[in-house]
Amino acid sequence: MKLKVRFAPSPTGPLHIGGARSALFNYLLARKHNGTFIVRSEDTDIERSSRESEHNILEALRWLGIEWNEGIEVGGENGPYRQTERLELYREYTDKLLAQGHAYHCYCSEEELEQERQELTAKGETPRYLGKCRHLTPEQKAAYEAEGRQPVVRFKVPEGKQILIRDLVRGDVVFESDGIGDYIIVKSDGIPTYNFAVVVDDISMCITHVIRGEEHLSNTPRQVLIYEALGVPVPEFAHISLILNTEGRKMSKRDGDTAVIDYQNKGYLPEAVINFIVLMGWSPPGEEQFFTLEQLADKFALDRVSKSPAVFDLNKLNWINAHYLKEAAPERLAELALPHLRDAGVMPTGEISTEQRAWASAFVQAVIEHVSYLAQVKDYVHYFYGGQALEPDEEAREVLRGEQVPQVLEAFKSKMAESKLVTAEDAKAMLKQLTKELKIGAKFVFMPVRAALTGRVHGPDLDKIIALLGPDDVLHRLETLALL
Ligand code: GLU
């Protein structure tokens, strides 16, 4: 049978790292087995769902390079792919379950249900619905309806049954049907609940493998019971572990950015995010840690997905991203750095001239090995841009107090004044020449010049700084240096 998997986000916010991981694992498995990957939308929570969130989720998937064969915006033979557009289908399945006695209408009011919950809790039992409306006569139903009560549809949970889930990641997990209680599959407004709609979707789309977050494991027995009641085969399940922060707690907003778009906006590369995400749960067979999507599509398999919790380690993401930044083409990096340079106020919002683009490109190349993600290039702008250096820090002051410093800076200044310096090579040659003429150690030239031009004793290559500042800004920086 052809493998068919799906990603079914609820469009109630941006795509989170955990969701992206579920999508990725499904996508990779489909690619590996020449299967079909479907993306659909669980939008039945009308209040919280929006088309805007749906769009953002799809854009984030595309940014990551995760494409789907079938689903929203792509189409396919099992559409529509939004649950709110599939209500008719859920009604058909509801009617079937009702007709076969696997489901029934329940007219209990919120107060009655609350009373039942309290009574069970008082007895030390799990609060659950005990099936009061299971055997209503047509007269009782009519009476409730005459009162204006709108029924929900509940699934009739079989008693004394063990539900075995052979999870491809977690192994065999057994649930008892007795603790479950008859649960609602259609709300009084006619909208199906998650556990029901997801099963109807998976059946009607012929899904063979359900790969999703561990938080859905406890829903799975409820879903399995519906498959069994309908007499259709149950798909394979694989529940992938929670993502914890480095302190071992469940990842939350408080741990920083959890949405894929946050990383996109900060200038992480999609190939790095993919590589990072796949390693949260999947361990590669060898020592290699860097994989392209293509390589993953070949190597990925569920048997190397761990059931221990995955850890979100930002340092690891930064390390992976720094690796990909070093490999990326200069033009691509310059383009990706533009929003950050605009943010820093050193590039115009509109059109960029050829010179400005060349400057951006040279700048990014000069700092790329110092940054983990592109938003960090902003921290380096002060070295390379404008006629004013940072106020010298303590170390820089110390250097600038050196005995030979005024002489060195004077000599450097006159060299600069006569040069039409453009390239870093020129700057390098000039500093070398200066060292030779002054007959002092290179350090006694480079350090004061660096301290004077940048207010710091460390930083990117000095020759690149000089080249990117250009003679005017270099001279201006020297002239405005507070210590001279
Ligand atoms: N809408 C659910 C979620 O986003 C889908 C769960 C599933 O894949 O069954 O978690």
Side-chain angles (χ1 to χ4, degrees), residues 6 8-10 42 194 198 202 210-212 215-216 223:
R6 83 301 191 279
S10 309
E42 301 209 333
Y194 158 68
V198 76
D202 286 340
V210 170
I211 304 165
R212 60 187 171 199
E215 65 274 20
H216 288 295
Q223 296 172 16

Side-chain angles (χ1 to χ4, degrees), residues 44-116:
T44 51
D45 184 343
I46 319 270
E47 298 267 293
R48 294 174 58 231
S49 298
S50 73
R51 281 298 171 90
E52 195 193 343
S53 291
E54 179 190 288
H55 180 74
N56 292 347
I57 291 171
L58 300 181
E59 284 306 298
L61 289 175
R62 288 199 177 101
W63 178 71
L64 288 169
I66 299 177
E67 303 279 341
W68 49 105
N69 315 97
E70 201 187 305
I72 318 174
E73 291 183 3
V74 168
E77 57 193 15
N78 298 293
Y81 294 93
R82 291 185 189 98
Q83 289 188 329
T84 50
E85 293 166 7
R86 298 168 66 78
L87 297 178
E88 192 45 47
L89 186 67
Y90 306 128
R91 254 191 297 276
E92 284 169 27
Y93 277 84
T94 312
D95 289 345
K96 208 183 286 181
L97 287 172
L98 285 167
Q100 293 171 350
H102 292 297
Y104 59 91
H105 286 111
C106 163
Y107 295 84
C108 291
S109 66
E110 222 5 87
E111 296 72 43
E112 288 160 338
L113 295 172
E114 182 52 34
Q115 197 182 340
E116 181 173 78

